[in-house]
Amino acid sequence: MTQVLDLAKRLIAAPSVTPATGAVFDEMQAMLEPLGFAIHRFTRGNGPAGSDEAPVENLFAIRKGAGPGHFAFAGHLDVVPPGEGWASGAFEPEQRGDLLYGRGAVDMKGAIACMVAAVADVPRDAGTISFIITGDEEGPALHGTRALIDFMRANDHAPDLCLVGEPTSVNRLGDMMKIGRRGSVNMWLSAKGTQGHVAYPHLADNPIPRLVAAMTELDALALDDGTDWFQPSNLEITDIEVGNPAHNVIPGEARARLSIRFNDRHSGASLSEKVTAICARHQVDVRPVISGEPFLTPPGAFSQMVADAVEAETGVAPEASTSGGTSDARFLRSVCPVIEFGLVNATMHKRDEAVAVADLSVLARIYTRIARAALDG
């Protein structure tokens, strides 16, 4: 327990608000090199700080073994901004009672510490193990795991199976794993008109009624009833903006934004086409941005491997779920089968984020069991 706790503290103590670079990757490298891993670090993105093109650091580590299998752990070292009002410093890890506090304790530096502790107990002759670690999961995710996938493909480092350490447990460690996720697409709507005086409407063109009509039709859409593994897709209007400070002016433009989380009955492109067609009837322009497609790792040998490891250490049989938001698994699924499993998610992204110290030790043992089983074939 002491080892994994110290590893978690070292990672938490390195501030790494997204996009992460520098010190936190130095710590990760220092942890893995003594275990026999070759470290590859690189940065992608060349825009200004705060932009989607801001530089992102990534790390790929690999320890080649004698066995034929290749198993990967994946995760992110970046964290969301801590905010104000913490009982102790967000990047000053502090153990109080049975809990370790600090930004990233749950999401997901704690899990990465467990991965590092886990591989120390996997013999090299078992097979090849790699770490796919990004600094841009909590941000735009443009230059993180996508860049790592490009690196793996260029260097023939694609794993056979991958486990992502997102905090998937709900009420206690081990009660849920993720075998898939819904896709996500955001769309920006714009209705353009002609500005004018409200007393002379014939000299203007009010775009608001057209935008409202389009949104009313979109809001009434029933996309599907769900599937065996996915909940129904949902379209949510997330913003409406006119920005008109004057009571006697018809505005020249009205804007809105919507977000769709969708299951595997759809694609980002098909939904973009559907929304664009509806909006076109109301003379509303659409700019879609697809964040990720849905994926499913069907229940089988890999999910059973994870479930067996969890049950052996906790006595709990994890529920296989596809609920929740997106993660970098949406990209990694193009490389190999991927499952997410990690800590209890109750405090992720919250003030005073904390992990149960005992859970760190148990999760490290679970990860060891999964890695050994994966490399055993």
Side-chain angles (χ1 to χ4, degrees):
M1 182 181 295
T2 301
Q3 179 198 24
V4 69
L5 179 61
D6 288 344
L7 294 174
K9 287 180 177 179
R10 286 169 59 183
L11 292 175
I12 293 170
S16 56
V17 173
T18 191
T21 59
V24 71
F25 285 94
D26 294 340
E27 288 290 348
M28 188 73 183
Q29 180 170 350
M31 292 175 186
L32 289 174
E33 281 183 330
L35 297 175
F37 283 84
I39 310 299
H40 306 273
R41 290 170 62 176
F42 62 92
T43 300
R44 196 160 88 173
N46 55 10
S51 73
D52 287 354
E53 295 296 328
V56 173
E57 187 161 2
N58 300 291
L59 179 150
F60 181 82
I62 188 165
R63 188 180 73 186
K64 294 186 177 181
H70 180 176
F71 178 75
F73 286 110
H76 62 92
L77 287 170
D78 61 317
V79 297
V80 296
E84 303 296 329
W86 284 63
S88 56
F91 298 111
E92 298 171 5
E94 181 175 310
Q95 185 178 349
R96 300 197 297 272
D98 298 330
L99 299 176
L100 173 65
Y101 290 84
R103 175 57 86 219
V106 169
D107 189 15
M108 60 173 285
K109 293 180 177 181
I112 291 179
C114 293
M115 294 172 181
V116 175
V119 300
D121 290 328
V122 179
R124 294 190 66 159
D125 60 4
T128 297
I129 296 179
S130 62
F131 281 78
I132 305 166
I133 307 296
T134 182
D136 183 33
E137 195 271 350
E138 301 290 5
L142 295 175
H143 301 301
T145 295
R146 300 182 201 220
L148 282 158
I149 290 172
D150 291 343
F151 175 86
M152 288 189 292
R153 286 176 171 158
N155 292 277
D156 196 24
H157 287 326
D160 304 310
L161 298 172
C162 178
L163 187 135
V164 179
E166 286 291 336
T168 60
S169 301
V170 181
N171 297 308
R172 60 168 295 185
L173 179 65
D175 61 4
M176 184 175 289
M177 62 178 168
K178 305 288 186 179
I179 61 169
R181 295 277 190 168
R182 293 192 298 171
S184 173
V185 58
N186 296 292
M187 304 189 196
W188 283 258
L189 279 55
S190 173
K192 293 179 172 59
T194 302
Q195 183 175 312
H197 197 294
V198 296
Y200 301 93
H202 60 289
L203 300 179
D205 174 21
N206 194 336
I208 296 177
R210 289 188 277 109
L211 181 65
V212 169
M215 289 194 299
T216 299
E217 187 172 346
L218 291 170
D219 188 55
L221 279 178
L223 294 173
D224 57 71
D225 296 321
T227 70
D228 289 343
W229 284 106
F230 288 96
Q231 67 193 83
S233 304
N234 63 296
L235 181 155
E236 303 297 335
I237 297 168
T238 58
D239 189 34
I240 300 173
E241 179 188 6
V242 177
N244 181 12
H247 68 277
N248 59 351
V249 173
I250 294 171
E253 185 178 7
R255 296 169 294 277
R257 186 182 65 232
L258 60 86
S259 180
I260 305 177
R261 295 299 171 97
F262 56 96
N263 58 40
D264 55 357
R265 290 189 173 180
H266 310 275
S267 67
S270 68
L271 289 169
S272 299
E273 291 172 4
K274 181 186 289 289
V275 171
T276 299
I278 291 172
C279 288
R281 294 198 292 269
H282 301 280
Q283 297 178 315
V284 173
D285 297 327
V286 180
R287 180 174 67 86
V289 176
I290 301 167
S291 301
E293 301 291 347
F295 79 93
L296 177 68
T297 299
F302 189 17
S303 58
Q304 190 60 53
M305 186 186 304
V306 175
D308 289 346
V310 172
E311 193 162 8
E313 293 292 342
T314 68
V316 176
E319 174 190 354
S321 172
T322 62
S323 62
T326 58
S327 78
D328 277 349
R330 69 191 189 271
F331 306 126
L332 292 165
R333 56 105 183 185
S334 68
V335 177
C336 66
V338 58
I339 288 178
E340 300 172 38
F341 177 75
L343 295 161
V344 176
N345 57 27
T347 62
M348 64 178 181
H349 292 202
K350 292 184 178 181
R351 181 179 60 196
D352 291 332
E353 180 179 351
V355 61
V357 173
D359 282 356
L360 292 174
S361 181
V362 175
L363 183 60
R365 295 198 301 270
I366 291 171
Y367 282 166
T368 297
R369 285 180 178 270
I370 294 170
R372 283 175 172 266
L375 294 175
D376 283 344

